[in-house]
Amino acid sequence: MDRLESVALPIFRKGHIPMIGEWVANPLIELAGSKEVGDEIFTEIQYPTAHRLLTKCDAILRIEGESKGADQDVKIGKELGLKIYYDVNKIPDAE
């Protein structure tokens, strides 16, 4: 989360609203009673939350590092026609 959140402020300062799926999913997962990452409740909520959020986004920033979930988000984002950025500095300022 630290790595994800480290780019949220620079994105905000470019005039965008950053969104990290875990900001939405984690409270729901906790409320639903998940006991550990990967349990049935976690699986029910974690990735579906991210995928639903993607339908409301304009672009994705894929930061470095191995992540099956992030790779899946990029795949879905491409299918939705979203712009995919790999460097926060390449994200243009909001109009």
Side-chain angles (χ1 to χ4, degrees), residues 36-47:
E36 63 184 359
V37 172
D39 68 14
E40 187 176 336
I41 293 169
F42 176 92
T43 302
E44 171 195 5
I45 297 171
Q46 178 66 31
Y47 295 120

Side-chain angles (χ1 to χ4, degrees), residues 8-76:
L9 185 57
I11 291 170
F12 178 81
R13 287 184 170 154
K14 288 177 172 281
H16 305 283
I17 301 294
M19 176 53 62
I20 297 172
E22 285 82 355
W23 287 344
V24 177
N26 287 349
L28 295 173
I29 290 167
E30 184 177 332
L31 285 169
S34 176
K35 301 296 183 208
E36 63 184 359
V37 172
D39 68 14
E40 187 176 336
I41 293 169
F42 176 92
T43 302
E44 171 195 5
I45 297 171
Q46 178 66 31
Y47 295 120
T49 299
H51 299 161
R52 290 177 195 178
L53 282 170
L54 286 173
T55 66
K56 308 296 183 196
C57 293
D58 300 315
I60 294 172
L61 172 62
R62 175 61 168 97
I63 62 173
E64 289 186 21
E66 190 173 323
S67 172
K68 185 177 177 181
D71 291 340
Q72 182 67 22
D73 291 347
V74 168
K75 180 180 181 286
I76 291 169

Side-chain angles (χ1 to χ4, degrees), residues 76-89:
I76 291 169
K78 287 180 179 179
E79 291 169 1
L80 293 171
L82 301 179
K83 292 186 179 197
I84 313 297
Y85 295 96
Y86 296 90
D87 180 343
V88 70
N89 297 309

